[in-house]
Amino acid sequence: MNNEAMVHTLEMHGYIKSRRVKDAFLKVDRANFVPEEHRSHAYFDDPIPIGHAQTISAPSMVAVMLELLDVFEGAKVLEVGTGSGYNACLMGCIGAEVYSIERIPELRKLAKKNMENCPCKDNVHLLLGDGSVGYEEEAPYDRIIVTCGAPDIPEPLKEQLKCGGIMVIPVGGTFFQELYVLRKERHGWRKRVWGDVAFVPLVGRYGHRWA
Ligand code: SAM
């Protein structure tokens, strides 16, 4: 199995639907974002530990979220939960300007190292902090993606999304959540639930309170 074969499988199963998501997956080799000791599993459709009790999500989950997010070239995107940096790089390769925030300093460092060979790394800005409060400095965003499970939709993220923008966020408990796809409209929100998911918790001021 190699990266191309993984992408082909994700497409065959309907997780990858669009040309731009497919091209990004082809450009970014998942093996570069997986710790050495798990490299032999890099192309399996599984989450993989990246240290500090965190994971790189399964590639099918990453593909589903990117398709739901409808990222486009030139979009300004906020990602909460950089983790390995894989999803941030994929969005960078779609041509988005990505602001990705991570709360664990060692993981921010790891993501920077993982991204060294990413052809689109210049589109990705890695930040350190509590992403549950968003990143006001660059707001508003066309798209917001949260890659950890929130107890509720953080107010600051609602505020920092542009009108017409889309937010994809897992909402629920510390183990299981529902994946929400939210569109901010002039007079309110349109919400759709994609289905059940299992993410590590969003920990922070508008997240879960424990580390
Ligand atoms: N997107 C990542 C990738 O491509 O590898 C996977 C993210 S991992 C499932 C979730 C990440 O969210 C973890 O690295 C965790 O430390 C981070 N996280 C949790 N709470 C956070 C917060 N309040 N702000 C920023 N990052 C947070």
Side-chain angles (χ1 to χ4, degrees), residues 30-43 48 114:
R30 188 170 187 255
N32 291 331
F33 297 83
V34 165
E36 193 77 52
E37 65 271 27
H38 296 294
R39 286 271 151 86
S40 56
H41 282 70
Y43 308 117
I48 293 176
N114 290 344

Side-chain angles (χ1 to χ4, degrees), residues 33 50 52 54-57 62 79-88 100-104 107 129-133 147-148 199-205 207:
F33 297 83
I50 54 171
H52 305 274
Q54 306 302 323
T55 54
I56 173 175
S57 302
V62 177
E79 179 187 44
V80 179
T82 311
S84 68
Y86 180 55
N87 188 51
S100 181
I101 185 157
E102 171 59 53
R103 65 178 277 271
I104 300 175
L107 289 183
D130 176 9
S132 77
V133 300
T147 63
C148 35
F199 278 84
V200 294
L202 172 80
V203 176
R205 180 152 168 227

